[in-house]
Amino acid sequence: MKTLLHFFLFLITVWVSIIIPAVHCQCIKDQQLLLLQFNKSLVFFGSFYPSTKLISWNASTDCCSWGGVTCSRNGRVLGLDVSSEGIFDGIDNSSSLFHLHYLQSLNLAANQLGSIKESIPSAIGNLLNLRYLNLSHNYYSGQIPIEISRLRRLEVLDFSNFRHFAIPYNIGSPNLYMLVHNLTLRELYLDGVQISEQGSEWCRAISSLPNLRVLSMSSCNLSGPFLESLAKLQSLSVIRLDGNNISAPVPGFFANFSNLSVLSLQTCGLHGTFPKEIFQLPSLQSIDLSGNDQLDGSLPEFPRDGSLQHLDLSGTKFSGLLPNSIGNLKKLSIIDIHDCKFTGPIPKSMTNLTQLVSLSMSGNKLEGSIPSFSGANNVGSIDLSSNGLTGTINSTYWGNLTNLTSLILRSNMLDGNISVALFSLPLLKLQWLDLSSNQFFGPLPEISNVSSYLLNGLDLELDLRNQSDLRILDLSENQITGKIPDWIWSLSNLILLNLSCNSLDSLELHSFKLTNLTYLDLHSNQFHGQFPMFPSPCNAYYLDFSRNYFNSIIPTTIGDMFPITTFLSLSSNNLNGIIPESLCNSRILEVLDLSNNSLSGTVPQCLTAMTKLEVLNIRRNNLTNVDDFSQNCLLKILDMSENHLQGRFLKSLVNCTQLETLDLGNNLITGPFPCFLRNTSTLRVLVLRSNKFYGSIGCRKTNGTWPVLQIIDLAHNNFSGEVPGAALTSWQAMRTSKDDAPGKISNLRYESMGGVYYQVDTILVTNKGIEMELVNVLTIFTSIDFSCNKFNGSIPEEIGELQSLYALNLSNNAFTGAVPSSLSNLSQLESLDLSKNKLSGHIPPELTKLTFLAFLNLSYNQLVGRIPSGNQFSTFEAASFQGNKGLWGPPLTADNNTGFSPPKQEGNHSNPGHEIDWDIICPEIGFTCGFGIAIGSLLFCKRWRKWYYRAMYDMLLKIFPQLEQRFGHHRRHVYVHQRYWRR
């Protein structure tokens, strides 16, 4: 009996396991037909996104077994996931998809749905049982349909849209509140949707979702502030609002969200002080406040065993000391506090962060020595650059960091010898080592094939050639001496090597195995002797050997050594001989700088015919001839100054239509002004100084302009005639006020699409009366120098329209007429030299408005009148005005307060400027005349005298009556009469 019972139970078990699943998982026929119709209507993007789910849909199989389909026990389709299937089109309001009324989950994410004219189908509102809806990362445009608000059971809504070329959704009407307030959302993802609402609006909408756990609305064009109504969302676990314009403080009630695990508010324009209590939330795992440059705060004391894993405060104003309790955060894997204002030492407790993967503390004010990170043996990258760290690199600190791939310590004050331990065997994964801009000194260590070194008491087996992963090595801007050790040339995977700005003096290539080297910078060292012969070919695209002491010829095969280089600089050495033609074999060469050497002869014809060359600098050599430039000339910077060139090539410059800088100064070029250059609209700098150019600079047959011209120097030539005022008005870059000028201030430079960078670092100009080399030319610096020519006529009034002009030099010409009062409009002018001309008249008093004027020279003209006073004019010395016989007043002469006109000057020149001050003279003349008439009348007129003394006597009697009693009238009269007659 018992056996029969067991057998019966076994049969029941088999029946339940076979029959019941067959019933429960059998797809309802109409559900299958709807899915097949849906699949048939779809249009796919192509083979770029092959289907992995829809490919299994077949009418001969049960739809509940199809990929992406989930069914209920009674065969109803409850879930549909066709994300990342490359669906391009076919889902509109008529789609059979929207007849699957039992659907609870729909995922159409990461397809190609939508277009600039296609919005989300409103029929989606028919799926009233939906609890999960994901349409993220598609290409829909227009408004989110209001029908979404009918999905009252919806718990997860994801419309996030961060596709690179996606057209963002735009919620205009209905607003966010109308869209979500009827829903029972627990998770809301609207990243990239253009909601464009104020804090009072979107906070009201979000506050209507009391069960919300995830709020993700990055880059939604939201504004602040945060409203207090958000405080009731006690279930919030994730807050992600990156890239909005909140422009408000972070509210303190965020610290009351006891479930908060993720807080991401990067680049939200936050300001004020961040509530440090938020850092102490036990549930907090990730906090990102980066990019809020007006947000300040400090780090608190962290509790033991905190949950924090990701801390990003980069680009904020957080300050203060780093607490030693940061070592309590044992789960911390990412620390990014670069570009903050933290001070003090790096806590030694950070060695306890065993889960640390990435550490970035650059751009602070940290000081002291670098602590040991030996306990953080999972760390992959350490960036402590741009701080004030001191001391040496302790070799024992790096032995356990077997996962370290990047170590960046540049721009500190570290010193001592560079530790051999940085290249020891445990660091086999190190790819990037940057110790630049420190104070390391001494030679680099010499390391043989396999050597043993006693270093701080430790024996380290070293084989630098086995450091196969080292890709970037930057030791520039230190005080390293001696030779480049051979082991550096054996780092076979090295891509970038920068040893510039040291005191290295020997470059020997016994074994060159840098087959992957693309960037080599050795400039500003003390290398000397023969230029090194690199094995051919060296595939580096960037090579800089400038500012050394090489004193040989340039190797004749240099173009074969560097066949694919785009940047080659040999400037500022002592190289001699000719420019080898093999340079033309570097067919993709973009920048060639051979300046400041002793090269002679002719510039090779093939060099001026190169079609990729965009920068050619052969300044300050002894070259005598240049061939014509080709019709395909792409040159943007051409500097041939300070050679012995003549002008046969000049007309071919018309082919270089993209020129930005042209410097032909200090040569032997003869000819008229090159009017064809007026058609080069990209020209920023034109220097023709110290040549033999002649004639007028007016160009009648061209309508070209120089809208971006900022420096023009025609000094020390034989130009003559009048300066055409109309031409000046086309120099738009000089007319634009500095306050109105667009863009940021930067250096004048060339930068190619491939990232090759070349800065125009030196231009010879005369500024503030001194001939100087202008270093690092700014894009806002503007200058006109027409000095030492034979220009005549009046200075054009139009020059006053060049409001952003910094320096104007018209000295040593034959200009006549008055100094234009329009010069007072040059509000940025710092240097004005009009000396040694034939200017006449008064100095315009309006020039005292030039408050930036630091240098003024009006000497040796024919100016007259009083020198204006006030503002900058009171700072100029007498030399600024000497040689003008008609000028007077400080500082040329003492100020005149006597009332008389200045001394008459010799010669026949009229001097209308020495006027009499009648306000002082008239009262003095009146007093003298009146006094003379009164005294004369008393002396020579008897009747007047009698009347005068009688009147005076009567006046005295009225004042002093006792005089009448003492003298009497007659006695007084006789006495007075006799007194004066006796005289």
Side-chain angles (χ1 to χ4, degrees):
M1 190 69 182
K2 191 174 182 179
T3 305
L4 290 174
L5 179 62
H6 288 170
F7 179 74
F8 179 72
L9 292 175
F10 172 75
L11 290 177
I12 292 176
T13 303
V14 171
W15 181 80
V16 168
S17 61
I18 297 176
I19 303 299
I20 297 299
V23 173
H24 283 185
C25 294
Q26 183 69 40
C27 178
I28 299 177
K29 193 65 177 178
D30 69 319
Q31 300 278 287
Q32 184 181 42
L33 290 174
L34 289 173
L35 288 174
L36 290 173
Q37 291 175 17
F38 169 67
N39 188 19
K40 185 178 181 180
S41 67
L42 296 178
V43 178
F44 296 90
F45 195 72
S47 58
F48 295 105
Y49 300 93
S51 172
T52 60
K53 302 169 187 172
L54 294 171
I55 195 173
S56 66
W57 290 20
N58 192 308
S60 62
T61 60
D62 181 9
C63 72
C64 291
S65 65
W66 294 350
V69 178
T70 304
C71 295
S72 66
R73 290 183 179 181
N74 56 10
R76 294 171 178 172
V77 176
L78 300 182
L80 181 60
D81 182 356
V82 288
S83 59
S84 303
E85 289 290 293
I87 303 172
F88 181 72
D89 198 1
I91 302 178
D92 54 24
N93 287 327
S94 62
S95 174
S96 62
L97 171 66
F98 303 119
H99 295 284
L100 295 169
H101 297 297
Y102 300 105
L103 265 184
Q104 296 181 15
S105 175
L106 176 60
N107 189 351
L108 300 175
N111 283 289
Q112 312 293 316
L113 295 168
S115 67
I116 192 172
K117 295 181 179 180
E118 187 176 352
S119 59
I120 299 173
S122 60
I124 203 167
N126 297 331
L127 304 176
L128 299 179
N129 288 304
L130 274 182
R131 288 174 170 80
Y132 177 91
L133 175 60
N134 190 345
L135 300 181
S136 64
H137 307 302
N138 281 288
Y139 293 93
Y140 286 116
S141 62
Q143 298 177 358
I144 297 177
I146 188 58
E147 286 78 6
I148 297 292
S149 63
R150 296 165 52 188
L151 307 179
R152 294 177 178 270
R153 298 182 181 181
L154 200 62
E155 296 181 2
V156 178
L157 176 62
D158 191 347
F159 285 165
S160 54
N161 183 30
F162 279 141
R163 288 287 183 121
H164 183 62
F165 296 107
I167 301 170
Y169 306 132
N170 179 21
I171 298 179
S173 177
N175 57 28
L176 183 61
Y177 178 79
M178 295 294 295
L179 184 69
V180 303
H181 81 284
N182 285 328
L183 310 181
T184 56
L185 289 175
R186 295 179 182 272
E187 299 180 18
L188 176 62
Y189 305 89
L190 296 178
D191 306 281
V193 178
Q194 296 303 292
I195 297 174
S196 304
E197 289 187 353
Q198 300 290 325
S200 58
E201 299 170 313
W202 69 266
C203 287
R204 172 174 174 257
I206 300 303
S207 300
S208 67
L209 304 171
N211 298 318
L212 194 65
R213 295 176 182 175
V214 176
L215 173 62
S216 187
M217 294 172 58
S218 300
S219 302
C220 291
N221 198 24
L222 302 176
S223 301
F226 296 103
L227 294 191
E228 192 71 25
S229 59
L230 294 176
K232 60 185 180 182
L233 302 179
Q234 290 297 310
S235 298
L236 272 178
S237 174
V238 175
I239 300 176
R240 188 177 293 111
L241 298 173
D242 306 329
N244 288 294
N245 188 26
I246 303 298
S247 298
V250 177
F253 62 75
F254 277 21
N256 298 328
F257 295 150
S258 57
N259 297 313
L260 190 63
S261 61
V262 175
L263 177 61
S264 188
L265 301 173
Q266 59 173 292
T267 320
C268 286
L270 302 174
H271 55 78
T273 301
F274 184 80
K276 63 172 59 177
E277 294 80 10
I278 296 177
F279 289 111
Q280 298 173 318
L281 286 171
S283 59
L284 190 65
Q285 298 178 14
S286 175
I287 183 167
D288 188 347
L289 306 175
S290 61
N292 293 286
D293 56 7
Q294 297 301 313
L295 181 66
D296 59 54
S298 60
L299 293 178
E301 292 296 327
F302 292 101
R304 291 186 177 275
D305 300 323
S307 301
L308 195 62
Q309 301 174 19
H310 182 166
L311 174 64
D312 191 344
L313 307 177
S314 59
T316 66
K317 295 173 67 176
F318 270 75
S319 60
L321 299 175
L322 295 175
N324 198 55
S325 59
I326 197 171
N328 295 336
L329 303 175
K330 301 296 179 59
K331 298 180 180 179
L332 200 57
S333 62
I334 296 176
I335 301 176
D336 191 348
I337 58 171
H338 78 265
D339 293 334
C340 291
K341 298 182 180 299
F342 287 106
T343 57
I346 299 175
K348 294 181 179 180
S349 64
M350 294 189 71
T351 191
N352 299 329
L353 303 180
T354 56
Q355 302 301 314
L356 192 64
V357 174
S358 175
L359 174 63
S360 177
M361 293 183 167
S362 63
N364 284 279
K365 299 179 181 179
L366 300 174
E367 55 190 27
S369 60
I370 299 176
S372 171
F373 293 101
S374 58
N377 52 15
N378 289 311
V379 68
S381 64
I382 297 177
D383 186 354
L384 306 178
S385 61
S386 301
N387 281 288
L389 300 174
T390 56
T392 60
I393 298 180
N394 195 317
S395 60
T396 62
Y397 288 179
W398 315 100
N400 295 334
L401 306 185
T402 56
N403 294 304
L404 189 65
T405 60
S406 173
L407 178 59
I408 304 175
L409 304 177
R410 67 171 177 266
S411 300
N412 280 286
M413 294 183 286
L414 301 169
D415 56 17
N417 290 316
I418 293 179
S419 175
V420 182
L422 291 176
F423 306 99
S424 60
L425 283 175
L427 296 177
L428 287 176
K429 294 184 179 180
L430 190 64
Q431 298 180 12
W432 187 348
L433 177 61
D434 188 347
L435 306 180
S436 61
S437 301
N438 279 284
Q439 299 173 12
F440 293 111
F441 56 82
L444 291 171
E446 276 289 352
I447 302 173
S448 58
N449 184 16
V450 179
S451 301
S452 179
Y453 286 87
L454 186 64
L455 185 61
N456 292 343
L458 294 177
D459 288 319
L460 297 177
E461 292 292 330
L462 304 175
D463 186 357
L464 265 289
R465 294 187 301 176
N466 289 334
Q467 300 298 314
S468 57
D469 280 344
L470 193 60
R471 312 284 176 86
I472 298 174
L473 178 59
D474 192 343
L475 306 179
S476 61
E477 296 189 55
N478 282 286
Q479 302 166 27
I480 302 172
T481 58
K483 62 174 290 187
I484 299 178
D486 291 339
W487 57 262
I488 285 185
W489 307 119
S490 300
L491 299 173
S492 58
N493 280 329
L494 200 64
I495 296 174
L496 181 150
L497 176 61
N498 190 349
L499 302 176
S500 63
C501 300
N502 281 287
S503 298
L504 296 164
D505 57 14
S506 180
L507 176 59
E508 300 176 3
L509 301 175
H510 298 301
S511 176
F512 187 88
K513 298 181 180 180
L514 305 184
T515 54
N516 292 300
L517 188 69
T518 60
Y519 185 104
L520 177 61
D521 191 348
L522 302 178
H523 84 267
S524 300
N525 278 283
Q526 297 179 15
F527 298 120
H528 55 275
Q530 295 284 324
F531 186 84
M533 295 293 296
F534 285 78
S536 299
C538 174
N539 294 322
Y541 78 89
Y542 185 99
L543 295 161
D544 193 346
F545 302 98
S546 63
R547 300 181 185 275
N548 281 287
Y549 298 94
F550 294 116
N551 56 2
S552 64
I553 64 171
I554 300 175
T556 56
T557 59
I558 189 170
D560 301 317
M561 286 193 294
F562 311 125
I564 62 171
T565 186
T566 58
F567 180 102
L568 177 60
S569 178
L570 307 178
S571 68
S572 301
N573 282 280
N574 295 319
L575 298 171
N576 52 65
I578 63 172
I579 300 175
E581 291 191 5
S582 69
L583 278 172
C584 304
N585 296 337
S586 301
R587 298 189 180 278
I588 61 173
L589 190 63
E590 295 179 8
V591 176
L592 177 61
D593 190 347
L594 305 177
S595 62
N596 298 301
N597 282 289
S598 300
L599 301 172
S600 57
T602 299
V603 177
Q605 181 179 5
C606 63
L607 201 60
T608 58
M610 294 184 71
T611 57
K612 297 289 186 180
L613 195 63
E614 299 191 29
V615 176
L616 176 60
N617 191 344
I618 53 175
R619 170 196 183 102
R620 200 171 289 162
N621 280 285
N622 299 315
L623 299 167
T624 56
N625 190 29
V626 177
D627 284 301
D628 289 349
F629 292 89
S630 71
Q631 292 185 348
N632 297 321
C633 174
L634 294 179
L635 281 171
K636 295 181 179 178
I637 299 176
L638 177 59
D639 190 343
M640 300 193 292
S641 61
E642 299 187 59
N643 281 281
H644 306 298
L645 302 176
Q646 299 180 5
R648 285 181 290 177
F649 68 92
L650 195 61
K651 291 184 179 180
S652 67
L653 287 175
V654 71
N655 299 324
C656 303
T657 57
Q658 300 182 38
L659 270 177
E660 297 178 10
T661 299
L662 176 61
D663 192 344
L664 305 178
N666 290 279
N667 279 290
L668 304 173
I669 302 174
T670 302
F673 181 78
C675 285
F676 58 84
L677 291 174
R678 291 298 301 273
N679 296 319
T680 307
S681 60
T682 55
L683 201 61
R684 285 181 171 272
V685 176
L686 175 62
V687 180
L688 304 178
R689 68 181 293 123
S690 299
N691 279 284
K692 298 180 181 179
F693 288 102
Y694 59 81
S696 171
I697 64 172
C699 301
R700 298 180 180 178
K701 296 183 180 180
T702 178
N703 295 321
T705 62
W706 288 328
V708 293
L709 187 70
Q710 62 182 87
I711 297 175
I712 180 168
D713 188 348
L714 309 181
H716 296 279
N717 281 285
N718 294 312
F719 290 117
S720 58
E722 296 186 357
V723 174
L728 303 180
T729 60
S730 67
W731 302 350
Q732 190 61 40
M734 298 188 190
R735 297 183 63 185
T736 305
S737 174
K738 184 176 70 171
D739 297 332
D740 300 330
K744 296 181 179 179
I745 298 174
S746 61
N747 293 325
L748 198 61
R749 64 189 183 187
Y750 159 79
E751 190 168 1
S752 73
M753 295 294 291
V756 176
Y757 172 87
Y758 181 83
Q759 183 166 303
V760 180
D761 58 351
T762 303
I763 293 178
L764 186 66
V765 298
T766 301
N767 187 27
K768 300 181 181 179
I770 302 173
E771 192 172 276
M772 63 179 69
E773 286 191 346
L774 196 63
V775 180
N776 295 334
V777 185
L778 296 176
T779 53
I780 63 168
F781 179 80
T782 51
S783 171
I784 295 176
D785 191 347
F786 291 170
S787 63
C788 300
N789 281 284
K790 298 177 182 178
F791 290 113
N792 54 39
S794 59
I795 298 175
E797 287 283 343
E798 290 87 347
I799 207 166
E801 298 182 21
L802 308 180
Q803 296 182 32
S804 66
L805 194 62
Y806 275 74
L808 175 62
N809 189 351
L810 304 179
S811 64
N812 286 279
N813 280 286
F815 287 109
T816 56
V819 177
S821 60
S822 63
L823 292 179
S824 63
N825 297 326
L826 307 181
S827 57
Q828 305 299 322
L829 197 65
E830 295 181 2
S831 176
L832 175 60
D833 192 345
L834 304 179
S835 63
K836 297 182 181 179
N837 280 286
K838 299 178 182 179
L839 300 172
S840 58
H842 295 259
I843 300 175
E846 293 89 348
L847 295 186
T848 58
K849 298 178 182 177
L850 301 177
T851 54
F852 286 101
L853 196 63
F855 176 83
L856 174 67
N857 193 349
L858 302 177
S859 63
Y860 299 102
N861 279 286
Q862 299 170 11
L863 300 172
V864 296
R866 183 182 177 85
I867 298 173
S869 59
N871 292 331
Q872 296 299 101
F873 267 70
S874 60
T875 66
F876 300 131
E877 299 179 353
S880 298
F881 306 100
Q882 66 185 11
N884 293 279
K885 295 182 179 180
L887 281 181
W888 61 281
L892 200 58
T893 64
D895 208 356
N896 191 347
N897 294 321
T898 63
F900 297 101
S901 62
K904 188 175 181 180
Q905 303 294 328
E906 295 180 3
N908 298 324
H909 298 290
S910 61
N911 197 3
H914 290 202
E915 298 176 354
I916 297 174
D917 193 344
W918 291 105
D919 291 339
I920 298 175
I921 297 300
C922 288
E924 294 180 354
I925 293 175
F927 175 78
T928 303
C929 292
F931 184 77
I933 291 172
I935 297 300
S937 299
L938 290 174
L939 292 177
F940 303 109
C941 181
K942 182 178 180 180
R943 293 182 60 187
W944 164 253
R945 187 167 60 246
K946 287 181 178 181
W947 177 87
Y948 174 77
Y949 283 108
R950 186 181 299 113
M952 290 298 295
Y953 180 74
D954 292 340
M955 187 182 298
L956 288 172
L957 288 180
K958 290 181 180 180
I959 298 173
F960 305 105
Q962 60 271 26
L963 292 178
E964 177 66 26
Q965 298 174 0
R966 184 172 181 179
F967 298 108
H969 176 75
H970 177 73
R971 186 175 178 182
R972 190 255 333 145
H973 178 75
V974 172
Y975 169 78
V976 176
H977 178 75
Q978 290 177 350
R979 176 185 176 188
Y980 278 93
W981 269 106
R982 289 173 181 169
R983 295 178 60 186

